[in-house]
Amino acid sequence: MSDSLPVKLTVTHRFKDSAERVFNAWLHPVKARCWLFVTAPERPLVRAEINARVGGRFCFTDLRDGEAVEHVGEYLEVDRPRRLVFTFAVPKYSPDYDRVTVDIVPDGEDCVLTLTHEMGPDGERWKDSTEKGWSKILAALDSWLYEAPATIQSP
């Protein structure tokens, strides 16, 4: 990760689901491959590997025009069910690692997720598309949670 992360963006999404269920969806490979970094809803990721502990790594791979695109990082903080912090990179497009923080605050039976993405030196160039991408990803999670059985709880 770069020493200086000059560009920061924040995306907030309200879920009609518990903080626990939303948090768990981030760390379970079978769940995450259905919504996280998925570019087409009918096409889940081809690979989803998660070692959900501080110092553990993840790798999500999707196919774009037949080419594998990896999304990789390392977990820096795992505070179930309220906070997840990880490094993040898409090596095909940039060697830089960014920092992503996911804060989940319960609100009755619902919860509010705030995602903060701190970007490296090229951040300004990617800021708008990254913000749109995270908004789309959180909407995909919302749809997946709505459609998935409520009994799917923990990783």
Side-chain angles (χ1 to χ4, degrees):
M1 188 162 59
S2 304
D3 290 338
S4 172
L5 297 173
V7 177
K8 185 187 282 191
L9 64 90
T10 301
V11 178
T12 301
H13 190 95
R14 172 176 287 282
F15 291 91
K16 291 187 180 293
D17 224 316
S18 70
E20 291 81 6
R21 192 154 185 256
V22 171
F23 185 91
N24 289 339
W26 286 84
L27 297 179
H28 191 286
V30 173
K31 298 173 192 177
R33 74 182 301 268
C34 296
W35 65 271
L36 188 57
F37 309 121
V38 172
T39 55
E42 70 281 356
R43 194 176 67 235
L45 299 178
V46 295
R47 185 172 86 178
E49 297 173 0
I50 298 174
N51 184 357
R53 63 172 180 76
V54 173
R57 301 193 54 78
F58 63 82
C59 181
F60 300 101
T61 306
D62 72 335
L63 290 178
R64 298 182 186 177
D65 298 322
E67 187 173 357
V69 177
E70 291 185 333
H71 302 73
V72 298
E74 178 181 338
Y75 295 105
L76 304 175
E77 187 176 340
V78 179
D79 181 13
R80 185 175 306 276
R82 300 189 188 270
R83 185 173 174 90
L84 186 62
V85 182
F86 52 90
T87 63
F88 175 72
V90 183
K92 176 176 174 50
Y93 300 117
S94 172
D96 297 324
Y97 277 78
D98 298 341
R99 180 184 182 100
V100 177
T101 302
V102 176
D103 287 306
I104 305 171
V105 177
D107 186 15
E109 293 182 7
D110 302 342
C111 67
V112 176
L113 183 149
T114 302
L115 182 143
T116 304
H117 189 138
E118 299 170 83
M119 304 173 81
D122 285 342
E124 200 58 51
R125 182 176 118 183
W126 298 101
K127 185 177 181 181
D128 289 341
S129 63
T130 301
E131 187 170 357
K132 287 176 188 166
W134 281 121
S135 293
K136 184 177 176 180
I137 286 169
L138 295 179
L141 171 56
D142 204 359
S143 294
W144 183 84
L145 286 167
Y146 178 77
E147 294 170 8
T151 56
I152 298 177
Q153 290 294 324
S154 60

